[in-house]
Amino acid sequence: MAEKDRFAELLSEVARDVTRRQTSEVCCGTLTLEQYRTLQAISRADQASIGSLSTALGVDLSTMSRNTSVLERDGYITRARSENDGRVVHVKLLAKGRRALETLRCSERDLLSDVYQGLSASERPKVMKALEALRECLGRKVADAEPCCSPAPAGKNAS
C-alpha cells in the first residue's frame, strides 16, 4: 500500500475512533454530538447567527436551522431575528446551555486522557506537533486543488 493511501486510511480510522468516543462518552441525555458542537460554536462566537454557525461548522443552513430549533425547544438557546436585517437570526446560549456546555467540556477534556497517558513522555511532543500540523493543513482552503475524482456525468444521457 502506498504511503499516502496508508496515511488516508490511518487518519480516517483515528477520526472515526475519536467520533465514536465523543458520541458514546461525551454526549449524554438528549444532546447529540452535533448539538454539542453547535453549543460550542455559539459560545465561541461574538454574535452567533444561523449563517455564521452554518459556516463555522460546515453544515447547510437548513441543517443548522433544524439543530437550533431543537436546542431552542429544549431550552438550551434562544433565537431572535435581527432588528437591522430580518433575514438574520441571532442565537444566544441560555443558562441551561451554558451548564450543559461546561459539563460536556469536562467530559470531552477527559475523553482521550487515557490515549495521552498511553503515549510515552518522549512521544507526546512529537504527536502534539504532528496534530498541530494536521490541524493547520486541514484548515487551509483548497480552492485551487484539482479534484481527486472525475466529475460524475450530468445525467443518464450525458456524453
Side-chain angles (χ1 to χ4, degrees), residues 17-123:
D17 288 345
V18 169
T19 299
R20 187 179 63 249
R21 279 189 177 204
Q22 286 175 320
T23 302
S24 66
E25 298 176 32
V26 172
C27 292
C28 56
T30 61
L31 282 178
T32 66
L33 183 56
E34 291 75 23
Q35 291 167 337
Y36 169 59
R37 288 181 176 151
T38 301
L39 292 177
Q40 284 181 311
I42 295 168
S43 74
R44 286 191 300 264
D46 290 333
Q47 191 169 5
S49 68
I50 301 292
S52 68
L53 294 170
S54 171
T55 299
L57 295 173
V59 298
D60 290 337
L61 281 170
S62 61
T63 300
M64 185 52 61
S65 183
R66 281 191 307 275
N67 286 347
T68 56
S69 291
V70 172
L71 289 169
E72 182 180 41
R73 181 196 69 207
D74 293 345
Y76 292 98
I77 65 167
T78 185
R79 297 183 305 166
R81 292 219 174 262
S82 169
E83 292 179 12
N84 301 328
D85 186 346
R87 297 170 297 177
V88 176
V89 177
H90 294 291
V91 183
K92 291 185 181 182
L93 285 175
L94 294 174
K96 182 178 178 180
R98 285 189 294 277
R99 284 191 306 272
L101 192 54
E102 192 55 40
T103 300
L104 294 173
R105 278 183 180 148
C106 292
S107 297
E108 185 176 49
R109 188 176 52 239
D110 297 337
L111 174 69
L112 297 170
S113 62
D114 63 322
V115 176
Y116 181 80
Q117 295 301 323
L119 296 169
S120 69
S122 64
E123 289 175 313

